[in-house]
């Protein structure tokens, strides 16, 4: 079953690595870091980042990739939807007025001014 998170998938970088599907994305990141020479010879499929193929085979992979159908289907379904109202480039949103005036408050010398207290350890326990 393709959707089974427990199925084993072979690592495209190190062929003797077999990873559970649910852990596969994490494995790819770590395995790329551990094997940079192998990783730079591979290309990532534009339809599924889990597909790493030799760079020379990328075009062939793209032509037959199963995930391409999902992307194409999504594009077609979106093109059949009625157009959405486009947002106006010039936003008309304005921030609500602010009642705070920090400069005036600092000049008036508020009675509730916050002051950092500096106590020595022996003074705190007295």
């Amino acid at each position: 079953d393709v959707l089974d998170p427990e199925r084993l998938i072979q690592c495209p970088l190190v062929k003797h690595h077999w990873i559970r599907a649910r852990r596969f994305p994490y494995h790819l990141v770590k395995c790329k870091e551990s094997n940079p020479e192998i990783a730079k010879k591979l290309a990532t499929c534009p339809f599924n980042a889990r597909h790493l193929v030799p760079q020379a085979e990328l075009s062939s992979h793209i032509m037959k990739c199963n995930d391409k159908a999902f992307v194409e289907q999504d594009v077609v379904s979106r093109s059949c939807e009625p157009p959405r109202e486009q947002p106006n480039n010039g936003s008309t949103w304005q921030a609500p007025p602010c009642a705070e005036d920090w400069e005036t408050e600092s000049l008036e010398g508020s009675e509730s001014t916050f002051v950092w207290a500096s106590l020595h350890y022996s003074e705190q326990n007295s």
Side-chain angles (χ1 to χ4, degrees):
D1 182 15
V2 178
L3 300 177
D4 179 13
E6 296 301 316
R7 80 182 188 288
L8 293 174
I9 301 173
Q10 186 178 29
C11 174
L13 290 119
V14 180
K15 299 298 182 192
H16 67 269
H17 289 176
W18 287 89
I19 303 93
R20 301 230 180 264
R22 64 186 162 83
R23 298 289 310 156
F24 193 69
Y26 306 104
H27 174 81
L28 280 181
V29 171
K30 292 290 186 184
C31 205
K32 279 182 183 180
E33 290 173 359
S34 299
N35 301 286
E37 292 302 314
I38 298 171
K40 75 168 104 167
K41 295 177 185 175
L42 299 176
T44 303
C45 170
F47 304 114
N48 187 333
R50 296 177 184 188
H51 297 168
L52 296 177
V53 295
Q55 290 182 357
E57 297 175 20
L58 182 61
S59 296
S60 172
H61 173 83
I62 288 172
M63 296 301 288
K64 61 184 179 185
C65 180
N66 292 334
D67 292 321
K68 180 169 94 171
F70 294 118
V71 174
E72 289 172 342
Q73 181 181 1
D74 188 44
V75 169
V76 169
S77 67
R78 287 184 186 204
S79 67
C80 294
E81 293 175 359
R84 297 180 187 162
E85 187 177 316
Q86 295 296 320
N88 187 358
N89 287 344
S91 177
T92 57
W93 182 86
Q94 293 181 346
C98 181
E100 294 180 355
D101 185 356
W102 293 2
E103 279 114 25
T104 304
E105 289 177 14
S106 68
L107 293 174
E108 291 174 354
S110 173
E111 294 175 15
S112 62
T113 303
F114 181 83
V115 178
W116 280 98
S118 175
L119 297 176
H120 295 291
Y121 182 75
S122 59
E123 293 173 343
Q124 290 176 351
N125 294 329
S126 303

